[in-house]
Amino acid sequence: MSLAEQKAVVAHTADVFEPAVADGDIVTKAAKAVLKESSERGGGIQMMNVDKIYPGSPDKALDDFNLDIKPGEMVVLLGGSGCGKSTALRSLAGLEDIQAGRILVGGQDVTATPVNKREMAMVFQSYSLFPHMTALQNVEFGLEVRGVSKAERRRIAGEKLELVGLSDQANKYTQQMSGGQQQRVALARALAVHPRVLLLDEPLSALDAKVRVQLRDEIRRIQLETGTTTVFVTHDQEEALAVADRIGVMNHGRIEQIAAPKTLYQRPETEYVATFIGLTNRLPGVSNGDEAVVFGQRVPLIDGSRAGGNVTVLVRPESLTLSGQSHVGEPGRVEAVHFLGALARVDVAVALGERLRVTVQLPANELPAGLAVGSDVVVAPRPVAALAV
Ligand SMILES: Nc1ncnc2c1ncn2[C@@H]1O[C@H](COP(=O)(O)OP(=O)(O)OP(=O)(O)O)[C@@H](O)[C@H]1O
Ligand SMILES: [Mg+2]
């Protein structure tokens, strides 16, 4: 998206401006008011059977895409490059025309509503701030184009800068700010127009690791405080797990599974989801439908697992045990030991027909005494539900 296009989005995200709650015990009061309002306004989102085909492209960028978001919820769209995350967000914002399907916000059909009437605000990967303006002026911009009085917009902009922790930087030019600070300004600017829906397209990907973590936690705090219905796009699974109420894992233009982070991690419904989120071992097993025998031990199977016979069971590293000597499990030899502070990860080569390398994760204080590269060990699965494919 060009800078001009981004400016247009920033300028026209909402036609109806409703000032946020003023002083008092700011946080709680504002949060309550906004939450109440967001459910009154029914600020949820429904995207139903949406197809998006870019001109000249043989493939659908969105293919029967469905997404249902509750008011005040933070949904993260996660997936590899090119799976359609940005397209889903842009279609929701009205920046892309769609070829099939419907989009509802707060129960109202906005499929044919232009971008400037959808009352959404977007934050992009690149900060897209106006460099010749101060932080305060940047935040005021969206309010100015809506004709909010000078005193009022100064008050709101100040409040939003405080929310993102930049009160003391209000009069600094944005080109003199760090990447993290600039992205805070962009966030404050988006929130200033009091959007029904906040859209974040990889807002942290241009930042270094430490700032990313700080800012993602802050985005989540602010989102909870303001109760803004939010869609956050990332290809970083850790980021997704950390901030989301629910994560939608996208593949080939549709959501393959959408669930709370814990559910997605513990009960992935497809191989793509299981391998996209977290580490997983692919272990040979024999299934009877409800459970599989892996390394001589029984492992319960998740719904949607491949039915019977020889299967591959996707077992998380922490769902494996390691012992120096045991009569249950599969013998193997330690190939690497990685200490991760409280946890340790051990790579073990087991001799199962073909050589198979498995990764076991356990609390560091449960490592067998004297364990080192070359040690003989026995690996066995815990009775934790897993997906068979
Ligand atoms: N303007 C465009 N014209 C034609 N094809 C496009 C356009 N924008 C995106 N696409 C294609 O649509 C598909 C989805 O792209 P999209 O940008 O939504 O992916 P993404 O999941 O956001 O990827 P990334 O993680 O790399 O940002 C891709 O195959 C991409 O090449
Ligand atoms: Mg993208």
Side-chain angles (χ1 to χ4, degrees), residues 176-233:
Q176 300 166 340
M177 301 182 121
S178 72
Q181 288 171 332
Q182 289 188 49
Q183 207 54 319
R184 281 167 206 268
V185 176
L187 185 64
R189 185 177 62 183
L191 291 167
V193 299
H194 198 39
R196 292 178 97 173
V197 177
L198 179 63
L199 305 172
L200 307 166
D201 193 356
E202 309 241 11
L204 306 174
S205 57
L207 306 174
D208 69 47
K210 199 173 161 204
V211 179
R212 273 183 91 120
V213 170
Q214 272 174 0
L215 200 48
R216 83 167 187 220
D217 292 346
E218 244 173 282
I219 287 177
R220 177 57 162 164
R221 171 186 64 80
I222 291 166
Q223 187 268 335
L224 287 169
E225 274 176 25
T226 58
T228 312
T229 308
T230 301
V231 190
F232 185 125
V233 162

CSV table of all heavy atoms in Angstrom, one decimal, residues 176-233:
chain,number,residue,atom,x,y,z
A,176,GLN,N,12.4,11.7,14.6
A,176,GLN,CA,13.4,11.6,15.6
A,176,GLN,C,13.2,10.5,16.6
A,176,GLN,O,13.8,10.4,17.6
A,176,GLN,CB,13.5,12.9,16.4
A,176,GLN,CG,13.8,14.1,15.5
A,176,GLN,CD,13.5,15.5,16.2
A,176,GLN,OE1,12.8,15.5,17.2
A,176,GLN,NE2,14.1,16.5,15.6
A,177,MET,N,12.2,9.7,16.4
A,177,MET,CA,11.8,8.6,17.4
A,177,MET,C,12.3,7.3,16.9
A,177,MET,O,12.5,7.0,15.7
A,177,MET,CB,10.3,8.6,17.5
A,177,MET,CG,9.7,9.9,18.0
A,177,MET,SD,7.9,9.8,18.2
A,177,MET,CE,7.8,10.2,19.9
A,178,SER,N,12.4,6.4,17.9
A,178,SER,CA,12.8,5.0,17.6
A,178,SER,C,11.6,4.3,16.9
A,178,SER,O,10.5,4.7,16.9
A,178,SER,CB,13.2,4.3,18.9
A,178,SER,OG,12.0,4.0,19.6
A,179,GLY,N,11.9,3.1,16.3
A,179,GLY,CA,10.9,2.4,15.7
A,179,GLY,C,9.7,2.0,16.6
A,179,GLY,O,8.6,2.1,16.3
A,180,GLY,N,10.1,1.6,17.8
A,180,GLY,CA,9.1,1.2,18.8
A,180,GLY,C,8.2,2.4,19.2
A,180,GLY,O,7.0,2.3,19.3
A,181,GLN,N,8.8,3.6,19.3
A,181,GLN,CA,8.1,4.8,19.7
A,181,GLN,C,7.2,5.2,18.5
A,181,GLN,O,6.0,5.6,18.8
A,181,GLN,CB,9.0,5.9,20.0
A,181,GLN,CG,9.8,5.7,21.3
A,181,GLN,CD,10.9,6.7,21.6
A,181,GLN,OE1,11.5,7.2,20.6
A,181,GLN,NE2,11.2,7.0,22.8
A,182,GLN,N,7.7,5.1,17.3
A,182,GLN,CA,6.9,5.4,16.2
A,182,GLN,C,5.6,4.5,16.1
A,182,GLN,O,4.5,5.0,15.8
A,182,GLN,CB,7.7,5.3,14.9
A,182,GLN,CG,8.7,6.4,14.8
A,182,GLN,CD,9.4,6.4,13.4
A,182,GLN,OE1,8.7,6.4,12.4
A,182,GLN,NE2,10.7,6.4,13.4
A,183,GLN,N,5.8,3.2,16.4
A,183,GLN,CA,4.7,2.3,16.3
A,183,GLN,C,3.7,2.6,17.4
A,183,GLN,O,2.5,2.4,17.2
A,183,GLN,CB,5.2,0.9,16.2
A,183,GLN,CG,4.3,-0.1,15.5
A,183,GLN,CD,3.9,0.2,14.1
A,183,GLN,OE1,3.6,1.4,13.8
A,183,GLN,NE2,3.9,-0.7,13.3
A,184,ARG,N,4.2,3.1,18.5
A,184,ARG,CA,3.2,3.5,19.6
A,184,ARG,C,2.4,4.7,19.1
A,184,ARG,O,1.2,4.8,19.4
A,184,ARG,CB,4.0,3.9,20.8
A,184,ARG,CG,4.5,2.8,21.7
A,184,ARG,CD,5.5,3.3,22.7
A,184,ARG,NE,6.4,2.2,23.0
A,184,ARG,CZ,6.2,1.4,24.1
A,184,ARG,NH1,5.2,1.6,24.9
A,184,ARG,NH2,7.0,0.4,24.3
A,185,VAL,N,3.1,5.7,18.4
A,185,VAL,CA,2.3,6.8,17.9
A,185,VAL,C,1.3,6.3,16.9
A,185,VAL,O,0.1,6.8,17.0
A,185,VAL,CB,3.3,7.8,17.2
A,185,VAL,CG1,2.5,9.0,16.6
A,185,VAL,CG2,4.3,8.4,18.2
A,186,ALA,N,1.6,5.4,16.1
A,186,ALA,CA,0.7,4.9,15.1
A,186,ALA,C,-0.5,4.3,15.8
A,186,ALA,O,-1.7,4.4,15.4
A,186,ALA,CB,1.4,3.9,14.2
A,187,LEU,N,-0.2,3.6,16.9
A,187,LEU,CA,-1.3,2.9,17.6
A,187,LEU,C,-2.2,4.0,18.3
A,187,LEU,O,-3.4,3.9,18.2
A,187,LEU,CB,-0.7,2.0,18.7
A,187,LEU,CG,-1.6,1.1,19.5
A,187,LEU,CD1,-2.3,0.1,18.6
A,187,LEU,CD2,-0.8,0.4,20.6
A,188,ALA,N,-1.6,5.0,18.9
A,188,ALA,CA,-2.3,6.1,19.5
A,188,ALA,C,-3.2,6.8,18.5
A,188,ALA,O,-4.4,7.1,18.7
A,188,ALA,CB,-1.4,7.1,20.2
A,189,ARG,N,-2.7,7.0,17.3
A,189,ARG,CA,-3.4,7.6,16.2
A,189,ARG,C,-4.6,6.8,15.8
A,189,ARG,O,-5.7,7.3,15.6
A,189,ARG,CB,-2.5,7.9,15.0
A,189,ARG,CG,-3.2,8.7,13.9
A,189,ARG,CD,-2.3,9.0,12.8
A,189,ARG,NE,-1.8,7.7,12.1
A,189,ARG,CZ,-0.9,7.7,11.1
A,189,ARG,NH1,-0.4,8.8,10.7
A,189,ARG,NH2,-0.6,6.6,10.6
A,190,ALA,N,-4.4,5.5,15.7
A,190,ALA,CA,-5.5,4.6,15.4
A,190,ALA,C,-6.6,4.6,16.4
A,190,ALA,O,-7.8,4.7,16.1
A,190,ALA,CB,-5.0,3.2,15.2
A,191,LEU,N,-6.2,4.6,17.7
A,191,LEU,CA,-7.2,4.6,18.8
A,191,LEU,C,-7.9,5.9,19.0
A,191,LEU,O,-9.0,6.0,19.5
A,191,LEU,CB,-6.5,4.2,20.1
A,191,LEU,CG,-6.0,2.8,20.2
A,191,LEU,CD1,-5.0,2.6,21.3
A,191,LEU,CD2,-7.1,1.8,20.2
A,192,ALA,N,-7.3,7.0,18.6
A,192,ALA,CA,-7.8,8.3,18.8
A,192,ALA,C,-9.2,8.5,18.1
A,192,ALA,O,-10.0,9.2,18.6
A,192,ALA,CB,-6.8,9.4,18.3
A,193,VAL,N,-9.4,7.9,17.0
A,193,VAL,CA,-10.6,8.0,16.2
A,193,VAL,C,-11.7,7.1,16.8
A,193,VAL,O,-12.8,7.1,16.2
A,193,VAL,CB,-10.5,7.8,14.7
A,193,VAL,CG1,-9.5,8.8,14.2
A,193,VAL,CG2,-10.0,6.4,14.4
A,194,HIS,N,-11.4,6.4,17.9
A,194,HIS,CA,-12.4,5.6,18.6
A,194,HIS,C,-13.0,4.6,17.6
A,194,HIS,O,-14.2,4.6,17.4
A,194,HIS,CB,-13.4,6.5,19.2
A,194,HIS,CG,-14.2,5.9,20.3
A,194,HIS,ND1,-13.7,5.0,21.2
A,194,HIS,CD2,-15.5,6.0,20.5
A,194,HIS,CE1,-14.6,4.6,21.9
A,194,HIS,NE2,-15.8,5.1,21.6
A,195,PRO,N,-12.2,3.8,17.0
A,195,PRO,CA,-12.7,2.9,15.9
A,195,PRO,C,-13.6,1.8,16.5
A,195,PRO,O,-13.4,1.4,17.7
A,195,PRO,CB,-11.5,2.3,15.3
A,195,PRO,CG,-10.5,2.3,16.4
A,195,PRO,CD,-10.8,3.5,17.2
A,196,ARG,N,-14.5,1.3,15.7
A,196,ARG,CA,-15.3,0.1,16.1
A,196,ARG,C,-14.4,-1.1,16.1
A,196,ARG,O,-14.6,-2.1,16.8
A,196,ARG,CB,-16.5,-0.1,15.2
A,196,ARG,CG,-17.5,0.9,15.2
A,196,ARG,CD,-18.6,0.5,14.2
A,196,ARG,NE,-19.7,-0.2,14.8
A,196,ARG,CZ,-20.8,-0.5,14.1
A,196,ARG,NH1,-20.9,-0.2,12.9
A,196,ARG,NH2,-21.7,-1.1,14.7
A,197,VAL,N,-13.5,-1.1,15.1
A,197,VAL,CA,-12.6,-2.3,14.9
A,197,VAL,C,-11.2,-1.8,14.7
A,197,VAL,O,-11.0,-0.8,13.9
A,197,VAL,CB,-13.1,-3.1,13.7
A,197,VAL,CG1,-12.1,-4.2,13.4
A,197,VAL,CG2,-14.5,-3.6,13.9
A,198,LEU,N,-10.2,-2.4,15.4
A,198,LEU,CA,-8.8,-2.0,15.2
A,198,LEU,C,-8.2,-3.2,14.4
A,198,LEU,O,-8.3,-4.3,14.8
A,198,LEU,CB,-8.2,-1.9,16.5
A,198,LEU,CG,-6.7,-1.5,16.6
A,198,LEU,CD1,-6.4,-0.2,15.9
A,198,LEU,CD2,-6.2,-1.5,18.0
A,199,LEU,N,-7.5,-2.8,13.3
A,199,LEU,CA,-6.8,-3.8,12.5
A,199,LEU,C,-5.3,-3.6,12.5
A,199,LEU,O,-4.9,-2.5,12.3
A,199,LEU,CB,-7.4,-3.7,11.0
A,199,LEU,CG,-8.9,-3.8,10.9
A,199,LEU,CD1,-9.3,-3.4,9.4
A,199,LEU,CD2,-9.4,-5.1,11.3
A,200,LEU,N,-4.6,-4.6,12.8
A,200,LEU,CA,-3.1,-4.5,13.0
A,200,LEU,C,-2.5,-5.5,12.0
A,200,LEU,O,-2.6,-6.7,12.2
A,200,LEU,CB,-2.7,-4.8,14.4
A,200,LEU,CG,-3.4,-4.0,15.5
A,200,LEU,CD1,-3.2,-4.7,16.9
A,200,LEU,CD2,-3.0,-2.6,15.5
A,201,ASP,N,-1.8,-5.0,11.0
A,201,ASP,CA,-1.1,-5.9,10.0
A,201,ASP,C,0.4,-6.0,10.3
A,201,ASP,O,1.1,-5.1,9.9
A,201,ASP,CB,-1.4,-5.4,8.6
A,201,ASP,CG,-1.0,-6.5,7.6
A,201,ASP,OD1,-0.5,-7.6,8.0
A,201,ASP,OD2,-1.3,-6.3,6.4
A,202,GLU,N,0.8,-7.0,11.0
A,202,GLU,CA,2.2,-7.2,11.4
A,202,GLU,C,2.8,-5.9,12.0
A,202,GLU,O,3.8,-5.4,11.5
A,202,GLU,CB,3.0,-7.6,10.1
A,202,GLU,CG,2.4,-8.8,9.4
A,202,GLU,CD,3.3,-10.0,9.3
A,202,GLU,OE1,4.3,-10.0,10.0
A,202,GLU,OE2,2.9,-10.9,8.6
A,203,PRO,N,2.2,-5.3,13.0
A,203,PRO,CA,2.6,-4.0,13.5
A,203,PRO,C,4.0,-4.1,14.1
A,203,PRO,O,4.6,-3.0,14.3
A,203,PRO,CB,1.5,-3.7,14.5
A,203,PRO,CG,1.0,-5.0,15.0
A,203,PRO,CD,1.1,-5.9,13.8
A,204,LEU,N,4.5,-5.2,14.4
A,204,LEU,CA,5.7,-5.3,15.2
A,204,LEU,C,6.9,-5.9,14.4
A,204,LEU,O,8.0,-5.9,14.9
A,204,LEU,CB,5.5,-6.2,16.4
A,204,LEU,CG,4.3,-5.8,17.3
A,204,LEU,CD1,4.1,-6.8,18.4
A,204,LEU,CD2,4.6,-4.4,17.9
A,205,SER,N,6.6,-6.2,13.1
A,205,SER,CA,7.7,-7.0,12.4
A,205,SER,C,8.9,-6.2,12.0
A,205,SER,O,9.9,-6.8,11.7
A,205,SER,CB,7.1,-7.7,11.2
A,205,SER,OG,6.5,-6.8,10.4
A,206,ALA,N,8.8,-4.9,12.1
A,206,ALA,CA,10.0,-4.1,11.8
A,206,ALA,C,10.8,-3.8,13.0
A,206,ALA,O,11.8,-3.1,12.9
A,206,ALA,CB,9.5,-2.8,11.1
A,207,LEU,N,10.4,-4.3,14.1
A,207,LEU,CA,11.1,-3.9,15.4
A,207,LEU,C,12.0,-5.0,15.9
A,207,LEU,O,11.8,-6.2,15.5
A,207,LEU,CB,10.0,-3.7,16.5
A,207,LEU,CG,9.0,-2.6,16.1
A,207,LEU,CD1,7.9,-2.5,17.2
A,207,LEU,CD2,9.6,-1.3,15.9
A,208,ASP,N,13.0,-4.7,16.7
A,208,ASP,CA,13.9,-5.8,17.2
A,208,ASP,C,13.2,-6.5,18.3
A,208,ASP,O,12.2,-6.1,18.9
A,208,ASP,CB,15.3,-5.2,17.5
A,208,ASP,CG,15.2,-4.4,18.8
A,208,ASP,OD1,14.6,-4.8,19.8
A,208,ASP,OD2,15.8,-3.3,18.8
A,209,ALA,N,13.8,-7.7,18.6
A,209,ALA,CA,13.1,-8.7,19.4
A,209,ALA,C,12.6,-8.2,20.7
A,209,ALA,O,11.5,-8.5,21.1
A,209,ALA,CB,14.0,-9.9,19.6
A,210,LYS,N,13.5,-7.4,21.4
A,210,LYS,CA,13.1,-7.0,22.8
A,210,LYS,C,11.9,-6.0,22.7
A,210,LYS,O,11.0,-6.1,23.5
A,210,LYS,CB,14.3,-6.4,23.4
A,210,LYS,CG,14.2,-6.3,24.9
A,210,LYS,CD,15.5,-5.9,25.6
A,210,LYS,CE,15.2,-5.4,27.0
A,210,LYS,NZ,16.2,-4.4,27.5
A,211,VAL,N,12.0,-5.1,21.8
A,211,VAL,CA,10.9,-4.1,21.7
A,211,VAL,C,9.6,-4.8,21.2
A,211,VAL,O,8.5,-4.4,21.7
A,211,VAL,CB,11.3,-3.0,20.7
A,211,VAL,CG1,10.2,-2.0,20.5
A,211,VAL,CG2,12.6,-2.3,21.1
A,212,ARG,N,9.8,-5.7,20.4
A,212,ARG,CA,8.6,-6.5,19.9
A,212,ARG,C,7.8,-7.1,21.1
A,212,ARG,O,6.6,-7.0,21.2
A,212,ARG,CB,9.0,-7.7,19.1
A,212,ARG,CG,9.3,-7.5,17.7
A,212,ARG,CD,9.6,-8.8,17.0
A,212,ARG,NE,8.4,-9.5,16.6
A,212,ARG,CZ,8.2,-9.8,15.3
A,212,ARG,NH1,9.1,-9.5,14.4
A,212,ARG,NH2,7.1,-10.3,15.0
A,213,VAL,N,8.5,-7.7,22.0
A,213,VAL,CA,7.9,-8.4,23.1
A,213,VAL,C,7.2,-7.3,24.0
A,213,VAL,O,6.0,-7.5,24.4
A,213,VAL,CB,8.9,-9.2,24.0
A,213,VAL,CG1,8.3,-9.7,25.2
A,213,VAL,CG2,9.4,-10.4,23.1
A,214,GLN,N,7.9,-6.2,24.3
A,214,GLN,CA,7.4,-5.1,25.1
A,214,GLN,C,6.1,-4.6,24.5
A,214,GLN,O,5.1,-4.5,25.2
A,214,GLN,CB,8.3,-4.0,25.2
A,214,GLN,CG,9.3,-4.1,26.3
A,214,GLN,CD,10.3,-2.9,26.2
A,214,GLN,OE1,10.3,-2.1,25.3
A,214,GLN,NE2,11.3,-2.9,27.1
A,215,LEU,N,6.2,-4.3,23.2
A,215,LEU,CA,5.1,-3.6,22.6
A,215,LEU,C,3.9,-4.5,22.4
A,215,LEU,O,2.7,-4.1,22.5
A,215,LEU,CB,5.5,-3.0,21.3
A,215,LEU,CG,4.7,-1.9,20.7
A,215,LEU,CD1,4.3,-0.8,21.7
A,215,LEU,CD2,5.4,-1.2,19.5
A,216,ARG,N,4.1,-5.8,22.1
A,216,ARG,CA,3.0,-6.7,22.0
A,216,ARG,C,2.2,-6.8,23.3
A,216,ARG,O,1.0,-6.9,23.3
A,216,ARG,CB,3.5,-8.1,21.4
A,216,ARG,CG,4.0,-9.0,22.5
A,216,ARG,CD,4.2,-10.4,22.2
A,216,ARG,NE,4.5,-11.1,23.4
A,216,ARG,CZ,5.4,-12.0,23.5
A,216,ARG,NH1,6.1,-12.4,22.5
A,216,ARG,NH2,5.6,-12.6,24.7
A,217,ASP,N,3.0,-6.9,24.4
A,217,ASP,CA,2.3,-7.0,25.7
A,217,ASP,C,1.5,-5.7,25.9
A,217,ASP,O,0.4,-5.7,26.5
A,217,ASP,CB,3.3,-7.2,26.8
A,217,ASP,CG,3.9,-8.6,26.7
A,217,ASP,OD1,3.4,-9.4,25.9
A,217,ASP,OD2,4.9,-8.8,27.4
A,218,GLU,N,2.0,-4.6,25.5
A,218,GLU,CA,1.3,-3.3,25.7
A,218,GLU,C,0.1,-3.2,24.8
A,218,GLU,O,-0.9,-2.7,25.2
A,218,GLU,CB,2.3,-2.2,25.4
A,218,GLU,CG,2.5,-1.4,26.7
A,218,GLU,CD,3.5,-0.4,26.5
A,218,GLU,OE1,4.7,-0.8,26.5
A,218,GLU,OE2,3.2,0.8,26.3
A,219,ILE,N,0.2,-3.7,23.6
A,219,ILE,CA,-0.9,-3.7,22.7
A,219,ILE,C,-2.1,-4.5,23.3
A,219,ILE,O,-3.2,-4.0,23.3
A,219,ILE,CB,-0.6,-4.2,21.3
A,219,ILE,CG1,0.3,-3.2,20.5
A,219,ILE,CG2,-1.8,-4.6,20.5
A,219,ILE,CD1,0.8,-3.7,19.2
A,220,ARG,N,-1.7,-5.6,23.9
A,220,ARG,CA,-2.8,-6.4,24.5
A,220,ARG,C,-3.4,-5.7,25.7
A,220,ARG,O,-4.6,-5.7,25.9
A,220,ARG,CB,-2.1,-7.8,24.9
A,220,ARG,CG,-3.1,-8.7,25.7
A,220,ARG,CD,-4.3,-9.0,24.9
A,220,ARG,NE,-5.0,-10.2,25.4
A,220,ARG,CZ,-6.2,-10.5,25.1
A,220,ARG,NH1,-7.0,-9.7,24.3
A,220,ARG,NH2,-6.8,-11.6,25.6
A,221,ARG,N,-2.5,-5.1,26.5
A,221,ARG,CA,-3.1,-4.3,27.7
A,221,ARG,C,-4.0,-3.3,27.2
A,221,ARG,O,-5.1,-3.1,27.7
A,221,ARG,CB,-1.9,-3.7,28.5
A,221,ARG,CG,-2.3,-2.8,29.6
A,221,ARG,CD,-1.2,-2.1,30.3
A,221,ARG,NE,-0.4,-1.2,29.4
A,221,ARG,CZ,-0.8,0.1,29.1
A,221,ARG,NH1,-1.9,0.6,29.5
A,221,ARG,NH2,0.0,0.8,28.3
A,222,ILE,N,-3.6,-2.5,26.2
A,222,ILE,CA,-4.4,-1.4,25.7
A,222,ILE,C,-5.7,-1.9,25.1
A,222,ILE,O,-6.8,-1.4,25.3
A,222,ILE,CB,-3.6,-0.5,24.7
A,222,ILE,CG1,-2.5,0.2,25.5
A,222,ILE,CG2,-4.5,0.4,24.0
A,222,ILE,CD1,-1.4,0.8,24.5
A,223,GLN,N,-5.6,-3.0,24.4
A,223,GLN,CA,-6.8,-3.6,23.7
A,223,GLN,C,-7.8,-4.0,24.8
A,223,GLN,O,-9.0,-3.8,24.7
A,223,GLN,CB,-6.4,-4.8,22.9
A,223,GLN,CG,-7.5,-5.3,22.0
A,223,GLN,CD,-8.2,-6.5,22.7
A,223,GLN,OE1,-7.6,-7.1,23.6
A,223,GLN,NE2,-9.4,-6.7,22.3
A,224,LEU,N,-7.3,-4.6,25.9
A,224,LEU,CA,-8.2,-5.0,27.0
A,224,LEU,C,-8.8,-3.8,27.7
A,224,LEU,O,-10.0,-3.8,28.0
A,224,LEU,CB,-7.4,-5.9,28.0
A,224,LEU,CG,-7.1,-7.3,27.5
A,224,LEU,CD1,-6.1,-8.0,28.5
A,224,LEU,CD2,-8.4,-8.2,27.4
A,225,GLU,N,-8.0,-2.8,27.9
A,225,GLU,CA,-8.5,-1.6,28.5
A,225,GLU,C,-9.6,-0.9,27.7
A,225,GLU,O,-10.5,-0.4,28.3
A,225,GLU,CB,-7.3,-0.6,28.8
A,225,GLU,CG,-6.5,-0.8,30.0
A,225,GLU,CD,-5.3,0.1,30.2
A,225,GLU,OE1,-5.4,1.2,29.6
A,225,GLU,OE2,-4.4,-0.3,30.8
A,226,THR,N,-9.4,-0.8,26.4
A,226,THR,CA,-10.3,-0.1,25.6
A,226,THR,C,-11.4,-1.0,25.1
A,226,THR,O,-12.4,-0.5,24.6
A,226,THR,CB,-9.6,0.5,24.3
A,226,THR,OG1,-9.0,-0.5,23.6
A,226,THR,CG2,-8.5,1.5,24.8
A,227,GLY,N,-11.3,-2.3,25.2
A,227,GLY,CA,-12.3,-3.2,24.8
A,227,GLY,C,-12.6,-3.1,23.3
A,227,GLY,O,-13.7,-3.5,22.8
A,228,THR,N,-11.6,-2.8,22.5
A,228,THR,CA,-11.7,-2.6,21.1
A,228,THR,C,-11.6,-4.0,20.4
A,228,THR,O,-10.7,-4.7,20.6
A,228,THR,CB,-10.6,-1.7,20.5
A,228,THR,OG1,-10.6,-0.5,21.3
A,228,THR,CG2,-10.9,-1.3,19.0
A,229,THR,N,-12.6,-4.3,19.6
A,229,THR,CA,-12.6,-5.5,18.8
A,229,THR,C,-11.4,-5.4,17.8
A,229,THR,O,-11.3,-4.4,17.1
A,229,THR,CB,-13.9,-5.6,17.9
A,229,THR,OG1,-15.0,-5.5,18.8
A,229,THR,CG2,-14.0,-7.0,17.2
A,230,THR,N,-10.5,-6.4,17.9
A,230,THR,CA,-9.2,-6.3,17.2
A,230,THR,C,-8.9,-7.5,16.4
A,230,THR,O,-9.1,-8.6,16.8
A,230,THR,CB,-8.1,-6.0,18.2
A,230,THR,OG1,-8.4,-4.8,18.9
A,230,THR,CG2,-6.7,-5.8,17.5
A,231,VAL,N,-8.4,-7.3,15.2
A,231,VAL,CA,-7.8,-8.4,14.4
A,231,VAL,C,-6.3,-8.0,14.2
A,231,VAL,O,-6.0,-7.0,13.7
A,231,VAL,CB,-8.5,-8.5,13.0
A,231,VAL,CG1,-8.0,-9.8,12.3
A,231,VAL,CG2,-10.0,-8.5,13.1
A,232,PHE,N,-5.5,-9.0,14.6
A,232,PHE,CA,-4.0,-8.8,14.6
A,232,PHE,C,-3.4,-9.8,13.7
A,232,PHE,O,-3.6,-11.0,13.9
A,232,PHE,CB,-3.6,-9.0,16.1
A,232,PHE,CG,-2.1,-8.7,16.4
A,232,PHE,CD1,-1.8,-7.8,17.4
A,232,PHE,CD2,-1.1,-9.4,15.7
A,232,PHE,CE1,-0.5,-7.6,17.7
A,232,PHE,CE2,0.2,-9.2,16.0
A,232,PHE,CZ,0.5,-8.2,17.0
A,233,VAL,N,-2.7,-9.4,12.7
A,233,VAL,CA,-2.1,-10.3,11.8
A,233,VAL,C,-0.6,-10.5,12.1
A,233,VAL,O,0.1,-9.5,12.3
A,233,VAL,CB,-2.3,-9.8,10.3
A,233,VAL,CG1,-1.3,-10.5,9.4
A,233,VAL,CG2,-3.7,-10.0,9.8
